[in-house]
Amino acid sequence: GPARPPGPAPAAPPPEPPPRRRTRALALLGALLAAATAAAIRFAPATPRPSALKTLGTDGLFLFSSLDTDGDMYISPEEFKPIAEKLTGSTPEASYEEEELPPDPSEETLTIEARFQPLLPETMTKSKDGFLGVSRLTLSGLRNWTTAASPRAVFAARHFQPFLPPPGQELGKPWWIIPSELSVFTGYLSNNRFYPPPPKGKEVIIHRLLSMFHPRPFVKTRFAPQGAVACLTAISDFYYTVMFRIHAEFQLSEPPDFPFWFSPAQFTGHIILSKDATHVRDFRLFVPNHRSLNVDMEWLYGASESSNMEVDIGYIPQMELEATGPSVPSMILDEDGSVIDSHLPSGEPLQFLFEEIKWQQELSWEEAARHLEVAMYPFKKVSYLPFTEAFDRAKAENKLVHSILLWGALDDQSCSGRTLRETVLESSPILTLLNESFISTWSLVKELEELQSNQENPAHQKLAGLHLEKYSFPVEMMVCLPNGTVVHHINANYFLDITSMKPEEIESNLFSFSPTFEDPSTATYMQFLKEGLRRGLPLL
């Protein structure tokens, strides 16, 4: 920053705190000075990152960048706020209504109800040993969350304007309501946070909706892919049907407890609204519950980013918002503009009749869901079939099966395969090879264990058993024959280890690096698949 003129001579030191408080006061003072020093660092926006790296060092630049959320090389008071909250243990109440328009008594309103059934503790992995080593205090935020924060809320129809498509949007073509700002290259956001940043713009409506479940929703997740994506599934003269997918999470703890993150697999749903957003015919938002596990949970055992973190996964039966009916006028006016009583003499509310919507273009829910999935996860440009269906298809097409067995889902936020899906699985050479030479599938360990214990279908039992024999935590990648025989496999931890080595450090030539690929991860996975083809094709 610019040089400052010398200030007045320092004042006399304040009296020392009592001995019993001295350690805490010194620790807090040191933390404040360190944070203030970090906040005072300022670079011109045009300052190249190498210059900042030279000034701050790697760790210093990482800290600075984690605070500098807009990347302008300047820590503003708003960006410094998380540090202030961490040091003081409190946060000023944010006014989330700043982005909203003033109320209009003549507009239509929509009533939305929340339906919530809490997570089932017995579905968590740690329940198997009685949550050994996990204190009740750690799980208190989870155990105490038994009902929706707001069972019912009223919204203005215009609040849903962010769900409208951009001009000229085609049926089935996704667009971002809230863009994802993270990738495998940008890293992830801090785990050590308690309070979400104030939502802005299109984030406001999503924040208000999710706040019906819990008071601390984070509209942008710590890990990619973030945000909300949507696509048109039906178009008429006056209405749109919009399907959407939202990635968001919740912070269940507050100081002095350590952070506890609750990350549902996804929020999906639809809205039917008029093209000018003055009327909403229908709205529904929910966490899919068709899989046996649909929530990721992560909690810290310390107050810093380097503190130990525990991870678990579980199942929540219901987390849903639904409109009680179409939006209706807040007040009813006659032809002269006078207000009409909205209730009949009997006291019953007036009933509204709504015209039938005649759709001119429509898209199936399944096809729309796939478009949104590919927008969030480019690796889904390859079709990943259900487990048993994949082996049936492999038999019909006489192909090998590329199978991924893992603890959490691969294509939602309750996952254990983030690194895999964000790197090699979405790389162009891997996508091409998988589409040309394999039938692909991924499965949850829990679901294959259930399939293995099902006595009604011995063939499916065998398929599941062959997979589980080769599985090691957390993720196992396999190449299989159509009969389920595993001809080649590699564990994700070993895969990550060898891709972090230098080529000369790898003893086996089984996973040697190919000179045609610059990315060692892509080269190694390509080698894994080709070795699977070499072993499996002669046996087809």
Side-chain angles (χ1 to χ4, degrees), residues 274-347:
S274 62
K275 292 183 176 181
D276 61 0
T278 58
H279 177 69
V280 175
R281 182 61 62 89
D282 191 29
F283 177 84
R284 186 180 179 226
L285 173 151
F286 63 96
V287 174
N289 60 3
H290 61 287
R291 288 196 171 274
S292 57
L293 298 167
N294 61 358
V295 176
D296 176 74
M297 289 157 284
E298 300 177 359
W299 59 92
L300 293 178
Y301 277 118
S304 71
E305 202 64 31
S306 60
S307 301
N308 290 335
M309 174 178 276
E310 287 278 1
V311 181
D312 209 333
I313 196 167
Y315 178 76
I316 188 166
Q318 187 177 37
M319 199 169 182
E320 179 180 0
L321 301 178
E322 189 168 17
T324 59
S327 63
V328 294
S330 303
M331 62 173 60
I332 307 169
L333 305 178
D334 62 16
E335 295 177 354
D336 300 326
S338 302
V339 178
I340 301 175
D341 191 345
S342 60
H343 289 78
L344 298 172
S346 62

Side-chain angles (χ1 to χ4, degrees), residues 97 111-116 145-155 207-217 250 319-322 324:
E97 315 307 320
T111 300
I112 291 181
E113 289 184 343
R115 303 186 184 99
F116 181 83
W145 189 19
T146 58
T147 59
S150 300
R152 176 184 281 244
V154 177
F155 297 80
H207 183 276
R208 285 195 60 198
L209 289 166
L210 298 181
S211 294
M212 293 183 67
F213 295 120
H214 191 278
R216 290 184 297 281
F250 300 84
M319 199 169 182
E320 179 180 0
L321 301 178
E322 189 168 17
T324 59

Side-chain angles (χ1 to χ4, degrees), residues 58-186:
T58 303
D59 293 339
L61 182 59
F62 178 80
L63 172 62
F64 186 93
S65 300
S66 67
L67 297 175
D68 182 25
T69 55
D70 58 7
D72 67 351
M73 303 303 286
Y74 168 66
I75 304 298
S76 66
E78 187 64 33
E79 291 168 333
F80 182 69
K81 185 179 172 184
I83 296 294
E85 291 173 359
K86 185 191 301 183
L87 293 171
T88 62
S90 63
T91 180
E93 288 194 20
S95 175
Y96 296 139
E97 315 307 320
E98 293 175 358
E99 295 287 333
E100 298 185 21
L101 298 172
D104 180 354
S106 65
E107 67 188 354
E108 294 192 5
T109 58
L110 184 74
T111 300
I112 291 181
E113 289 184 343
R115 303 186 184 99
F116 181 83
Q117 296 180 43
L119 182 129
L120 303 178
E122 63 271 19
T123 62
M124 296 174 65
T125 305
K126 298 192 186 320
S127 69
K128 296 178 181 179
D129 58 9
F131 294 98
L132 184 66
V134 182
S135 70
R136 289 191 63 85
L137 185 62
T138 298
L139 299 178
S140 60
L142 179 65
R143 295 183 189 277
N144 295 336
W145 189 19
T146 58
T147 59
S150 300
R152 176 184 281 244
V154 177
F155 297 80
R158 63 181 166 79
H159 289 161
F160 295 87
Q161 189 172 358
F163 289 94
L164 287 175
Q169 191 72 15
E170 298 176 11
L171 195 76
K173 185 176 180 181
W175 77 89
W176 290 92
I177 300 174
I178 301 174
S180 179
E181 298 175 351
L182 297 179
S183 70
V184 68
F185 304 107
T186 59

Side-chain angles (χ1 to χ4, degrees), residues 128 405 444-454 464 468 471:
K128 296 178 181 179
L405 182 57
L444 294 176
V445 172
K446 182 178 176 63
E447 292 178 349
L448 290 200
E449 288 174 343
E450 293 172 353
L451 195 63
Q452 187 182 32
S453 62
N454 186 354
L468 292 170
Y471 174 76

Side-chain angles (χ1 to χ4, degrees), residues 303-540:
S304 71
E305 202 64 31
S306 60
S307 301
N308 290 335
M309 174 178 276
E310 287 278 1
V311 181
D312 209 333
I313 196 167
Y315 178 76
I316 188 166
Q318 187 177 37
M319 199 169 182
E320 179 180 0
L321 301 178
E322 189 168 17
T324 59
S327 63
V328 294
S330 303
M331 62 173 60
I332 307 169
L333 305 178
D334 62 16
E335 295 177 354
D336 300 326
S338 302
V339 178
I340 301 175
D341 191 345
S342 60
H343 289 78
L344 298 172
S346 62
E348 296 180 2
L350 289 176
Q351 299 296 315
F352 292 89
L353 296 177
F354 299 96
E355 78 277 14
E356 181 182 353
I357 302 175
K358 296 181 179 180
W359 300 110
Q360 297 162 343
Q361 301 179 59
E362 292 186 79
L363 188 71
S364 70
W365 175 276
E366 292 77 16
E367 190 173 352
R370 174 158 175 78
H371 287 309
L372 298 183
E373 197 172 57
V374 172
M376 284 286 193
Y377 302 112
F379 83 91
K380 293 303 293 281
K381 292 174 184 176
V382 168
S383 295
Y384 283 76
L385 302 178
F387 182 73
T388 56
E389 184 181 331
F391 285 92
D392 291 339
R393 178 79 63 85
K395 289 177 184 176
E397 298 185 14
N398 200 33
K399 285 186 175 182
L400 297 175
V401 176
H402 165 243
S403 179
I404 300 175
L405 182 57
L406 66 172
W407 188 42
L410 189 63
D411 57 7
D412 65 38
Q413 297 302 85
S414 66
C415 63
S416 55
R418 292 186 185 117
T419 304
L420 193 65
R421 73 184 182 202
E422 291 170 11
T423 54
V424 296
L425 291 182
E426 66 175 45
S427 68
S428 180
I430 300 299
L431 290 172
T432 300
L433 183 59
L434 290 177
N435 274 320
E436 289 177 352
S437 304
F438 293 90
I439 303 297
S440 292
T441 183
W442 69 263
S443 312
L444 294 176
V445 172
K446 182 178 176 63
E447 292 178 349
L448 290 200
E449 288 174 343
E450 293 172 353
L451 195 63
Q452 187 182 32
S453 62
N454 186 354
Q455 305 291 332
E456 297 179 1
N457 195 318
H460 291 173
Q461 258 189 318
K462 181 182 177 182
L463 286 176
L466 291 170
H467 260 58
L468 292 170
E469 284 177 5
K470 303 296 184 182
Y471 174 76
S472 294
F473 181 85
V475 182
E476 197 78 24
M477 294 85 82
M478 311 181 200
V479 175
C480 314
L481 298 178
N483 65 7
T485 301
V486 179
V487 296
H488 193 30
H489 65 102
I490 182 174
N491 184 264
N493 286 341
Y494 177 64
F495 172 79
L496 293 175
D497 287 343
I498 61 174
T499 54
S500 65
M501 295 180 183
K502 297 178 181 178
E504 60 269 20
E505 295 175 341
I506 301 177
E507 297 179 3
S508 170
N509 60 5
L510 193 59
F511 295 106
S512 60
F513 296 113
S514 166
T516 58
F517 295 105
E518 295 181 3
D519 175 25
S521 298
T522 300
T524 304
Y525 207 79
M526 179 67 75
Q527 199 73 11
F528 160 70
L529 293 175
K530 287 185 175 180
E531 178 63 20
L533 289 171
R534 187 189 68 81
R535 297 183 184 188
L537 287 178
L539 302 177
L540 286 177

